Amino acid sequence: MNLTRAWINLRYFQEIRDKWLIQKENTLIQEQRNEGHIMPWRSLPYPCVPIAEIQSCRIELVLTADIIRSARYKKGEKNKSEACMKVAVDAMGGDFGPEVIIAGAVDASREFDLDIVLVGNESIIQDAINKFDLNNARVGIVNASEAIGMGEGLLSFRKKKKSSILVGTQLIKDREADAFVSTGNTGAVVYISRRVLGALDGVERPALSLLVPSLKGKTLLTDVGANVNCKPQHLVQFAIMGHIFMENVMDIKKPRVALMSIGEEGGKGNDLTREVYARLEASHLNFVGNVEGKDLYSGKADVIISDGFTGNIALKTTEGVFDNFARMARTEIMKNIFAKVGFLLMKRHLKKVYKKIDYAEYGGAHLLGLNGVCIIGHGRSNPVAVKNAVKMARDYVANKIQEKIQNELLKFKPAFINQKG
């Protein structure tokens, strides 16, 4: 695509130069014939032709489906600026089919000035993408003949060598993309990205981390589903990475770190939480003790750590509470005219509250500690959620999140980070 535009620009300026040289030659000939009684072109520091002449020879690049289908990105090319950043998007993920993913990806390309690489079955993507207006959007396709379903397990992850998730993460490793976004099988994305990209030095297991709204700003939950069975050193590493993230990215000095448990007292919980509690209490982190599930959105801590099993259940529980509360409220409001009037008066403010807790506004969860930027969105993601997931990927790449975490990790004592449990 870029080579095509460069070639068109070159031809455009060549035509301007040729017209200027011809005009100059004609002017000199006329001056000789008319004994100098003709007004020459005004002297300028660069070749110039009248505006009408420029417009008559202008060439427009029309973005067609054939050009998009043939768009391929140069291997080994690494983008340094946000303007030419490339984000690979798994077009085969999600519960609602490729059209929803493509709609969000196209909107993200147009709104955030990004190059989008749709990864998946080329013919399916091509049929879907023809339904969209691609004006001012830069979208390419990388073929991946296989897809991993939501219900498939580890055997499929290993067997399908041409899955969209494997091809997408490989693009990051080959430096053909800066980040990867998927709303597909979470287990597959975690397993494959860890195998292809690896983890940062000092990190045994990357953690799926999600920023959620709270009464005092935002709280980072980690892990929310990537590591079901954890050891004490894994949760300690999650705490360190969460501390670094909130301090360097969210600009919170000495972020408060808490451990999710069944009670606020240090002696409560299972063997894992009690061991982690003791280690964090002896660390240099700003550890504020245990928190319970009710404290996820209270703002008592800036970082809340747990194993992936506990964190995922807590997160899904709150999502269910929000969704069902909205349905129950809607049912009650429709029963009474006074309730309807009250709702209309509060509608604008309720929308602001809903926007704060809507998962679509946050895009997805980040694999913290992975040697590359990988965003995992909700399977129920709509185009808005996909667009915001791409935006999150762009922000993480632009702010060099992985490099900051790696540099800060090196400052911690290796014995503390990797102390076996």
Side-chain angles (χ1 to χ4, degrees):
M1 243 353 205
N2 293 332
L3 292 174
T4 303
R5 290 176 177 172
W7 179 82
I8 289 175
N9 289 333
L10 179 62
R11 293 290 302 167
Y12 167 60
F13 284 109
Q14 284 177 342
E15 290 195 24
I16 292 178
R17 183 199 61 188
D18 294 342
K19 285 179 176 288
W20 178 74
L21 292 174
I22 293 171
Q23 184 64 49
K24 183 177 180 180
E25 183 178 355
N26 291 338
T27 301
L28 293 174
I29 293 173
Q30 290 182 34
E31 283 183 344
Q32 291 176 356
R33 289 178 177 176
N34 300 329
E35 298 180 353
H37 298 293
I38 185 170
M39 178 84 59
W41 290 100
R42 287 175 293 179
S43 300
L44 292 172
Y46 49 86
C48 178
V49 294
I51 298 297
E53 295 293 331
I54 294 177
Q55 293 176 344
S56 66
C57 68
R58 187 173 181 178
I59 302 173
E60 294 287 345
L61 175 62
V62 180
L63 193 63
T64 65
D66 291 334
I67 293 177
I68 294 168
R69 185 164 57 86
S70 63
R72 291 297 181 269
Y73 298 103
K74 185 177 178 182
K75 188 172 183 178
E77 181 182 0
K78 183 68 175 177
N79 297 298
K80 298 301 182 183
S81 65
E82 184 179 313
C84 60
M85 192 183 296
K86 297 175 188 173
V87 177
V89 178
D90 178 12
M92 312 310 291
D95 297 337
F96 306 123
E99 289 190 13
V100 172
I101 307 299
I102 293 171
V106 170
D107 288 343
S109 175
R110 184 182 295 114
E111 186 171 338
F112 307 128
D113 192 25
L114 299 171
D115 288 333
I116 297 294
V117 184
L118 295 173
V119 184
N121 188 296
E122 189 170 14
S123 60
I124 295 176
I125 296 175
Q126 191 63 61
D127 292 340
I129 206 172
N130 289 332
K131 303 176 183 179
F132 295 92
D133 176 17
L134 299 174
N135 187 34
N136 298 324
R138 304 194 302 273
V139 183
I141 300 173
V142 172
N143 185 50
S145 56
E146 297 176 310
I148 298 175
M150 289 295 192
E152 297 187 54
L154 184 61
L155 183 61
S156 296
F157 307 166
R158 294 176 175 175
K159 185 178 179 181
K160 294 185 176 181
K161 303 296 184 182
K162 297 181 180 179
S163 69
S164 56
I165 296 173
L166 180 58
V167 173
T169 52
Q170 190 66 41
L171 289 175
I172 300 179
K173 185 176 181 179
D174 294 340
R175 302 173 70 85
E176 295 182 35
D178 298 289
F180 178 60
V181 174
S182 177
T183 59
N185 188 312
T186 300
V189 179
V190 172
Y191 174 81
I192 293 173
S193 61
R194 188 189 301 170
R195 190 184 69 179
V196 174
L197 301 174
L200 298 175
D201 292 339
V203 177
E204 293 184 21
R205 296 185 182 182
L208 197 58
S209 307
L210 180 67
L211 277 171
V212 297
S214 72
L215 296 177
K216 298 180 181 179
K218 291 184 179 179
T219 298
L220 182 72
L221 306 182
T222 180
D223 182 4
V224 292
N227 304 283
V228 176
N229 298 309
C230 293
K231 295 180 180 179
Q233 70 265 23
H234 299 148
L235 269 67
V236 170
Q237 291 171 11
F238 299 167
I240 294 172
M241 291 190 294
H243 164 85
I244 294 171
F245 180 88
M246 296 303 284
E247 193 169 58
N248 289 273
V249 179
M250 303 305 294
D251 199 26
I252 298 175
K253 302 303 179 185
K254 296 188 68 176
R256 298 161 297 163
V257 178
L259 175 65
M260 187 181 295
S261 186
I262 59 173
E264 296 182 356
E265 297 80 10
K268 287 193 174 181
N270 54 20
D271 293 340
L272 174 65
T273 55
R274 287 197 296 268
E275 175 64 24
V276 173
Y277 186 98
R279 294 192 186 187
L280 292 178
E281 196 173 34
S283 72
H284 298 296
L285 299 176
N286 184 17
F287 182 58
V288 294
N290 289 341
V291 293
E292 298 176 295
K294 64 181 177 63
D295 298 316
L296 286 181
Y297 303 93
S298 67
K300 284 187 176 181
D302 301 303
V303 181
I304 299 178
I305 63 171
S306 69
D307 60 88
F309 183 82
T310 305
N312 189 267
I313 290 177
L315 183 64
K316 295 289 180 63
T317 300
T318 56
E319 286 181 359
V321 169
F322 291 147
D323 288 344
N324 286 289
F325 175 79
R327 292 178 184 178
M328 288 187 288
R330 190 181 300 112
T331 301
E332 293 299 320
I333 288 170
M334 298 305 294
K335 290 181 179 180
N336 190 296
I337 184 63
F338 297 104
K340 291 179 182 179
V341 173
F343 172 73
L344 291 175
L345 295 174
M346 297 176 61
K347 186 176 180 180
R348 183 164 60 92
H349 300 286
L350 290 174
K351 279 186 175 181
K352 293 180 181 179
V353 174
Y354 181 76
K355 189 173 182 179
K356 288 183 178 180
I357 62 176
D358 184 13
Y359 72 90
E361 296 296 327
Y362 296 88
H366 175 217
L367 267 176
L368 207 61
L370 188 73
N371 190 23
V373 176
C374 182
I375 306 298
I376 303 177
H378 203 297
R380 297 188 290 112
S381 292
N382 56 25
V384 175
V386 175
K387 182 186 73 172
N388 287 324
V390 174
K391 178 180 181 294
M392 179 185 291
R394 179 205 66 172
D395 293 343
Y396 281 17
V397 173
N399 292 319
K400 299 181 179 180
I401 303 300
Q402 307 304 96
E403 291 88 338
K404 290 179 179 178
I405 292 175
Q406 182 65 89
N407 293 336
E408 291 295 322
L409 273 172
L410 297 176
K411 297 178 182 179
F412 283 85
K413 295 180 180 179
F416 171 68
I417 297 176
N418 299 308
Q419 183 183 353
K420 303 298 181 182

